[in-house]
mmCIF file of all heavy atoms in Angstrom:
data_model
loop_
_atom_site.group_PDB
_atom_site.id
_atom_site.type_symbol
_atom_site.label_atom_id
_atom_site.label_comp_id
_atom_site.label_asym_id
_atom_site.label_seq_id
_atom_site.Cartn_x
_atom_site.Cartn_y
_atom_site.Cartn_z
ATOM 1 N N PHE A 274 66.952 -58.524 -26.260
ATOM 2 C CA PHE A 274 65.579 -58.180 -25.915
ATOM 3 C C PHE A 274 65.271 -56.823 -26.567
ATOM 4 O O PHE A 274 66.177 -55.981 -26.765
ATOM 5 C CB PHE A 274 65.346 -58.162 -24.484
ATOM 6 C CG PHE A 274 65.612 -59.397 -23.802
ATOM 7 C CD1 PHE A 274 66.950 -59.758 -23.326
ATOM 8 C CD2 PHE A 274 64.655 -60.384 -23.592
ATOM 9 C CE1 PHE A 274 67.209 -60.952 -22.610
ATOM 10 C CE2 PHE A 274 64.933 -61.590 -22.926
ATOM 11 C CZ PHE A 274 66.248 -61.884 -22.462
ATOM 12 N N LEU A 279 59.621 -51.169 -24.678
ATOM 13 C CA LEU A 279 59.119 -51.250 -23.321
ATOM 14 C C LEU A 279 58.982 -49.844 -22.716
ATOM 15 O O LEU A 279 59.556 -48.930 -23.250
ATOM 16 C CB LEU A 279 60.053 -52.020 -22.364
ATOM 17 C CG LEU A 279 60.408 -53.513 -22.832
ATOM 18 C CD1 LEU A 279 61.414 -54.077 -21.918
ATOM 19 C CD2 LEU A 279 59.112 -54.341 -23.028
ATOM 20 N N ALA A 284 57.672 -52.031 -15.384
ATOM 21 C CA ALA A 284 58.173 -53.191 -14.741
ATOM 22 C C ALA A 284 58.951 -54.142 -15.627
ATOM 23 O O ALA A 284 59.850 -54.746 -15.165
ATOM 24 C CB ALA A 284 56.926 -53.951 -14.178
ATOM 25 N N ALA A 285 58.538 -54.260 -16.906
ATOM 26 C CA ALA A 285 59.174 -55.184 -17.855
ATOM 27 C C ALA A 285 60.686 -54.892 -17.984
ATOM 28 O O ALA A 285 61.554 -55.798 -17.959
ATOM 29 C CB ALA A 285 58.535 -55.260 -19.153
ATOM 30 N N ARG A 286 60.960 -53.614 -18.178
ATOM 31 C CA ARG A 286 62.415 -53.197 -18.370
ATOM 32 C C ARG A 286 63.158 -53.443 -17.077
ATOM 33 O O ARG A 286 64.296 -53.988 -17.103
ATOM 34 C CB ARG A 286 62.522 -51.744 -18.769
ATOM 35 C CG ARG A 286 63.973 -51.305 -18.992
ATOM 36 C CD ARG A 286 64.119 -49.815 -19.017
ATOM 37 N NE ARG A 286 65.443 -49.421 -19.330
ATOM 38 C CZ ARG A 286 66.011 -48.242 -19.141
ATOM 39 N NH1 ARG A 286 65.223 -47.291 -18.734
ATOM 40 N NH2 ARG A 286 67.224 -47.970 -19.450
ATOM 41 N N ALA A 287 62.629 -53.024 -16.012
ATOM 42 C CA ALA A 287 63.399 -53.281 -14.714
ATOM 43 C C ALA A 287 63.538 -54.839 -14.398
ATOM 44 O O ALA A 287 64.699 -55.172 -14.027
ATOM 45 C CB ALA A 287 62.579 -52.731 -13.530
ATOM 46 N N HIS A 288 62.629 -55.565 -14.833
ATOM 47 C CA HIS A 288 62.765 -57.063 -14.623
ATOM 48 C C HIS A 288 63.916 -57.639 -15.497
ATOM 49 O O HIS A 288 64.781 -58.338 -15.014
ATOM 50 C CB HIS A 288 61.463 -57.692 -15.021
ATOM 51 C CG HIS A 288 61.611 -59.202 -15.089
ATOM 52 N ND1 HIS A 288 61.720 -60.042 -14.023
ATOM 53 C CD2 HIS A 288 61.586 -60.003 -16.240
ATOM 54 C CE1 HIS A 288 61.820 -61.265 -14.434
ATOM 55 N NE2 HIS A 288 61.687 -61.318 -15.834
ATOM 56 N N LEU A 289 63.954 -57.209 -16.818
ATOM 57 C CA LEU A 289 65.015 -57.745 -17.664
ATOM 58 C C LEU A 289 66.330 -57.212 -17.285
ATOM 59 O O LEU A 289 67.284 -57.994 -17.256
ATOM 60 C CB LEU A 289 64.671 -57.251 -19.077
ATOM 61 C CG LEU A 289 63.528 -57.944 -19.795
ATOM 62 C CD1 LEU A 289 63.211 -57.342 -21.150
ATOM 63 C CD2 LEU A 289 63.735 -59.446 -19.922
ATOM 64 N N GLU A 290 66.413 -55.937 -16.805
ATOM 65 C CA GLU A 290 67.813 -55.522 -16.379
ATOM 66 C C GLU A 290 68.147 -56.226 -15.124
ATOM 67 O O GLU A 290 69.431 -56.552 -14.869
ATOM 68 C CB GLU A 290 67.720 -53.995 -16.092
ATOM 69 C CG GLU A 290 67.692 -53.117 -17.321
ATOM 70 C CD GLU A 290 67.829 -51.708 -17.040
ATOM 71 O OE1 GLU A 290 67.779 -51.291 -15.817
ATOM 72 O OE2 GLU A 290 67.950 -50.875 -17.946
ATOM 73 N N THR A 291 67.270 -56.506 -14.186
ATOM 74 C CA THR A 291 67.575 -57.248 -12.983
ATOM 75 C C THR A 291 68.105 -58.675 -13.293
ATOM 76 O O THR A 291 69.094 -59.144 -12.679
ATOM 77 C CB THR A 291 66.354 -57.295 -12.052
ATOM 78 O OG1 THR A 291 65.959 -55.985 -11.701
ATOM 79 C CG2 THR A 291 66.637 -58.127 -10.807
ATOM 80 N N GLU A 292 67.382 -59.332 -14.225
ATOM 81 C CA GLU A 292 67.836 -60.715 -14.502
ATOM 82 C C GLU A 292 69.152 -60.740 -15.215
ATOM 83 O O GLU A 292 69.998 -61.585 -14.998
ATOM 84 C CB GLU A 292 66.759 -61.392 -15.383
ATOM 85 C CG GLU A 292 65.370 -61.426 -14.737
ATOM 86 C CD GLU A 292 65.400 -62.182 -13.413
ATOM 87 O OE1 GLU A 292 65.286 -63.422 -13.450
ATOM 88 O OE2 GLU A 292 65.572 -61.446 -12.379
ATOM 89 N N LYS A 295 71.870 -60.229 -12.639
ATOM 90 C CA LYS A 295 72.149 -61.457 -11.881
ATOM 91 C C LYS A 295 73.139 -62.291 -12.598
ATOM 92 O O LYS A 295 74.111 -62.858 -11.931
ATOM 93 C CB LYS A 295 70.868 -62.164 -11.580
ATOM 94 C CG LYS A 295 69.889 -61.633 -10.656
ATOM 95 C CD LYS A 295 68.654 -62.433 -10.572
ATOM 96 C CE LYS A 295 67.570 -61.831 -9.642
ATOM 97 N NZ LYS A 295 66.300 -62.589 -9.685
ATOM 98 N N ALA A 328 71.357 -64.959 -22.006
ATOM 99 C CA ALA A 328 70.046 -64.311 -22.294
ATOM 100 C C ALA A 328 68.932 -65.345 -22.422
ATOM 101 O O ALA A 328 67.795 -65.060 -21.989
ATOM 102 C CB ALA A 328 70.082 -63.556 -23.611
ATOM 103 N N ALA A 329 69.290 -66.476 -22.909
ATOM 104 C CA ALA A 329 68.266 -67.570 -23.049
ATOM 105 C C ALA A 329 67.796 -68.101 -21.700
ATOM 106 O O ALA A 329 66.754 -68.771 -21.686
ATOM 107 C CB ALA A 329 68.876 -68.758 -23.874
ATOM 108 N N LEU A 330 68.531 -67.843 -20.653
ATOM 109 C CA LEU A 330 68.103 -68.259 -19.359
ATOM 110 C C LEU A 330 66.999 -67.377 -18.735
ATOM 111 O O LEU A 330 66.488 -67.713 -17.652
ATOM 112 C CB LEU A 330 69.261 -68.357 -18.408
ATOM 113 C CG LEU A 330 70.434 -69.331 -18.795
ATOM 114 C CD1 LEU A 330 71.656 -69.215 -17.839
ATOM 115 C CD2 LEU A 330 69.950 -70.761 -18.917
ATOM 116 N N ILE A 331 66.832 -66.219 -19.240
ATOM 117 C CA ILE A 331 65.913 -65.301 -18.737
ATOM 118 C C ILE A 331 64.517 -65.468 -19.063
ATOM 119 O O ILE A 331 64.114 -65.650 -20.276
ATOM 120 C CB ILE A 331 66.326 -63.770 -19.091
ATOM 121 C CG1 ILE A 331 67.776 -63.447 -18.515
ATOM 122 C CG2 ILE A 331 65.374 -62.821 -18.666
ATOM 123 C CD1 ILE A 331 68.290 -62.093 -18.999
ATOM 124 N N ASP A 332 63.608 -65.624 -18.052
ATOM 125 C CA ASP A 332 62.154 -65.652 -18.287
ATOM 126 C C ASP A 332 61.652 -64.263 -18.242
ATOM 127 O O ASP A 332 61.682 -63.585 -17.199
ATOM 128 C CB ASP A 332 61.534 -66.567 -17.217
ATOM 129 C CG ASP A 332 60.025 -66.718 -17.442
ATOM 130 O OD1 ASP A 332 59.437 -65.957 -18.170
ATOM 131 O OD2 ASP A 332 59.446 -67.660 -16.783
ATOM 132 N N PRO A 333 61.065 -63.694 -19.324
ATOM 133 C CA PRO A 333 60.555 -62.342 -19.309
ATOM 134 C C PRO A 333 59.431 -62.069 -18.290
ATOM 135 O O PRO A 333 59.091 -60.960 -18.081
ATOM 136 C CB PRO A 333 60.064 -62.066 -20.792
ATOM 137 C CG PRO A 333 60.864 -63.094 -21.627
ATOM 138 C CD PRO A 333 60.984 -64.244 -20.697
ATOM 139 N N GLU A 334 58.817 -63.141 -17.853
ATOM 140 C CA GLU A 334 57.633 -63.047 -16.933
ATOM 141 C C GLU A 334 57.923 -63.412 -15.479
ATOM 142 O O GLU A 334 57.060 -63.131 -14.708
ATOM 143 C CB GLU A 334 56.542 -64.020 -17.546
ATOM 144 C CG GLU A 334 56.132 -63.734 -18.983
ATOM 145 C CD GLU A 334 55.522 -62.317 -19.162
ATOM 146 O OE1 GLU A 334 54.979 -61.759 -18.153
ATOM 147 O OE2 GLU A 334 55.694 -61.804 -20.273
ATOM 148 N N ARG A 335 59.108 -63.953 -15.239
ATOM 149 C CA ARG A 335 59.287 -64.496 -13.882
ATOM 150 C C ARG A 335 60.771 -64.296 -13.414
ATOM 151 O O ARG A 335 61.665 -64.540 -14.165
ATOM 152 C CB ARG A 335 58.950 -65.965 -13.867
ATOM 153 C CG ARG A 335 58.834 -66.561 -12.519
ATOM 154 C CD ARG A 335 57.625 -66.159 -11.792
ATOM 155 N NE ARG A 335 57.643 -66.521 -10.366
ATOM 156 C CZ ARG A 335 56.764 -66.065 -9.488
ATOM 157 N NH1 ARG A 335 55.838 -65.165 -9.800
ATOM 158 N NH2 ARG A 335 56.764 -66.514 -8.262
ATOM 159 N N ALA A 336 60.963 -63.900 -12.157
ATOM 160 C CA ALA A 336 62.286 -63.684 -11.674
ATOM 161 C C ALA A 336 62.946 -65.103 -11.324
ATOM 162 O O ALA A 336 62.292 -66.038 -10.816
ATOM 163 C CB ALA A 336 62.172 -62.951 -10.294
ATOM 164 N N MET A 337 64.226 -65.172 -11.725
ATOM 165 C CA MET A 337 64.989 -66.391 -11.371
ATOM 166 C C MET A 337 65.593 -66.264 -9.952
ATOM 167 O O MET A 337 65.789 -65.058 -9.398
ATOM 168 C CB MET A 337 66.111 -66.610 -12.407
ATOM 169 C CG MET A 337 67.236 -65.569 -12.322
ATOM 170 S SD MET A 337 68.573 -66.001 -13.400
ATOM 171 C CE MET A 337 67.955 -65.421 -14.940
ATOM 172 N N ALA A 338 65.887 -67.341 -9.347
ATOM 173 C CA ALA A 338 66.749 -67.292 -8.173
ATOM 174 C C ALA A 338 68.131 -66.875 -8.552
ATOM 175 O O ALA A 338 68.606 -67.145 -9.705
ATOM 176 C CB ALA A 338 66.805 -68.614 -7.540
ATOM 177 N N VAL A 481 54.141 -50.304 -10.587
ATOM 178 C CA VAL A 481 55.313 -51.047 -11.129
ATOM 179 C C VAL A 481 55.776 -52.039 -9.952
ATOM 180 O O VAL A 481 56.202 -53.128 -10.203
ATOM 181 C CB VAL A 481 56.396 -50.119 -11.513
ATOM 182 C CG1 VAL A 481 57.789 -50.791 -11.714
ATOM 183 C CG2 VAL A 481 56.031 -49.408 -12.843
ATOM 184 N N GLY A 483 54.110 -53.286 -7.620
ATOM 185 C CA GLY A 483 53.229 -54.458 -7.482
ATOM 186 C C GLY A 483 53.387 -55.433 -8.587
ATOM 187 O O GLY A 483 53.350 -56.636 -8.380
ATOM 188 N N THR A 484 53.582 -55.017 -9.752
ATOM 189 C CA THR A 484 53.812 -55.896 -10.899
ATOM 190 C C THR A 484 55.163 -56.773 -10.660
ATOM 191 O O THR A 484 55.078 -57.972 -10.876
ATOM 192 C CB THR A 484 53.875 -55.245 -12.222
ATOM 193 O OG1 THR A 484 52.670 -54.465 -12.449
ATOM 194 C CG2 THR A 484 54.181 -56.126 -13.335
ATOM 195 N N LEU A 485 56.166 -56.180 -10.262
ATOM 196 C CA LEU A 485 57.405 -56.852 -10.032
ATOM 197 C C LEU A 485 57.263 -57.800 -8.870
ATOM 198 O O LEU A 485 57.901 -58.894 -8.905
ATOM 199 C CB LEU A 485 58.528 -55.807 -9.790
ATOM 200 C CG LEU A 485 59.001 -55.033 -11.066
ATOM 201 C CD1 LEU A 485 59.807 -53.832 -10.667
ATOM 202 C CD2 LEU A 485 59.768 -55.908 -12.052
ATOM 203 N N THR A 486 56.585 -57.500 -7.858
ATOM 204 C CA THR A 486 56.348 -58.412 -6.698
ATOM 205 C C THR A 486 55.627 -59.647 -7.259
ATOM 206 O O THR A 486 55.953 -60.687 -6.905
ATOM 207 C CB THR A 486 55.477 -57.671 -5.589
ATOM 208 O OG1 THR A 486 56.281 -56.550 -5.126
ATOM 209 C CG2 THR A 486 55.277 -58.665 -4.505
ATOM 210 N N GLY A 487 54.681 -59.455 -8.090
ATOM 211 C CA GLY A 487 53.872 -60.499 -8.674
ATOM 212 C C GLY A 487 54.767 -61.428 -9.581
ATOM 213 O O GLY A 487 54.428 -62.602 -9.837
ATOM 214 N N MET A 488 55.792 -60.855 -10.176
ATOM 215 C CA MET A 488 56.767 -61.635 -10.957
ATOM 216 C C MET A 488 57.758 -62.437 -10.109
ATOM 217 O O MET A 488 58.596 -63.172 -10.662
ATOM 218 C CB MET A 488 57.498 -60.738 -11.930
ATOM 219 C CG MET A 488 56.578 -59.986 -12.868
ATOM 220 S SD MET A 488 57.434 -58.701 -13.863
ATOM 221 C CE MET A 488 58.233 -59.692 -15.137
ATOM 222 N N GLY A 489 57.744 -62.291 -8.778
ATOM 223 C CA GLY A 489 58.582 -63.034 -7.944
ATOM 224 C C GLY A 489 59.668 -62.344 -7.330
ATOM 225 O O GLY A 489 60.617 -62.924 -6.692
ATOM 226 N N HIS A 490 59.809 -61.037 -7.561
ATOM 227 C CA HIS A 490 60.860 -60.193 -6.988
ATOM 228 C C HIS A 490 60.485 -59.772 -5.547
ATOM 229 O O HIS A 490 59.302 -59.443 -5.248
ATOM 230 C CB HIS A 490 61.119 -58.937 -7.773
ATOM 231 C CG HIS A 490 61.625 -59.152 -9.129
ATOM 232 N ND1 HIS A 490 62.931 -59.440 -9.343
ATOM 233 C CD2 HIS A 490 61.046 -59.227 -10.400
ATOM 234 C CE1 HIS A 490 63.123 -59.657 -10.757
ATOM 235 N NE2 HIS A 490 61.986 -59.539 -11.295
#
Side-chain angles (χ1 to χ4, degrees):
F274 300 90
L279 306 176
R286 182 195 182 194
H288 169 73
L289 289 175
E290 285 187 355
T291 298
E292 301 302 276
K295 289 176 183 177
L330 299 176
I331 294 176
D332 182 344
E334 304 295 332
R335 191 73 187 167
M337 71 174 78
V481 168
T484 299
L485 287 165
T486 299
M488 297 171 78
H490 295 280

